[in-house]
Amino acid sequence: MAQFYRDIQIGTVWEGSGNVIALDVLRALAREPQAAEALLAECELAAGADARFDAHMQRVREGLNGLSADPAQAQWSARRVVEDLALALQASLLLRNAPPAVGDGFCAARLGERGLAFGDLPRGVDGAAITARALAL
């Protein structure tokens, strides 16, 4: 019984929510390959709004192509590709629906030279406008 409780922690780290989500996305793409194109089409509605976004979308397409090109290795890179997909959708929605300072701030922090900590905004982001919007809500 003691061994069981020690092993629970290892399973939690290895099969954490990020890995489970990545594997679920791989299964969904295998079952419904057109889902990737539908998601990309939704993201591409913001094409041309930000150069960092456009470059990120190119990386997303390359990542998806890599998953399908080598299914045996797909599990090793799926987590990064799924993260990039999520960032692409977030950026697309913000660029289309949020004030320009918010979309620009997101693209600068998450799609540009990304830091590893949330809130690590690069120079030039209009933090005052983002903060004012947040406080107004």
Side-chain angles (χ1 to χ4, degrees):
M1 189 64 136
Q3 180 68 40
F4 175 73
Y5 283 115
R6 282 192 300 270
D7 290 346
I8 285 174
Q9 296 305 313
I10 294 171
T12 302
V13 171
W14 181 249
E15 296 181 14
S17 59
N19 287 337
V20 171
I21 291 168
L23 293 174
D24 284 345
V25 169
L26 284 178
R27 281 190 290 275
L29 292 175
R31 271 194 321 266
E32 304 282 343
Q34 68 274 20
E37 282 305 316
L39 179 60
L40 291 173
E42 176 67 24
C43 292
E44 290 289 351
L45 293 174
D50 187 280
R52 295 163 296 206
F53 173 76
D54 293 339
H56 182 77
M57 287 303 299
Q58 180 62 35
R59 286 190 302 273
V60 166
R61 287 190 179 281
E62 290 169 2
L64 283 171
N65 289 339
L67 291 180
S68 59
D70 191 359
Q73 292 294 316
Q75 290 183 12
W76 294 103
S77 56
R79 193 167 176 161
R80 173 65 56 96
V81 174
V82 170
E83 177 186 348
D84 285 344
L85 279 168
L87 290 171
L89 182 59
Q90 292 169 352
S92 177
L93 290 169
L94 288 172
L95 288 169
R96 291 183 284 144
N97 299 302
V102 175
D104 177 65
F106 183 87
C107 289
R110 305 302 291 149
L111 305 183
E113 290 186 33
R114 292 170 25 186
L116 297 177
F118 287 109
D120 181 20
L121 297 175
R123 291 176 193 252
V125 171
D126 191 354
I130 294 170
T131 303
R133 178 179 183 266
L135 294 174
L137 297 176

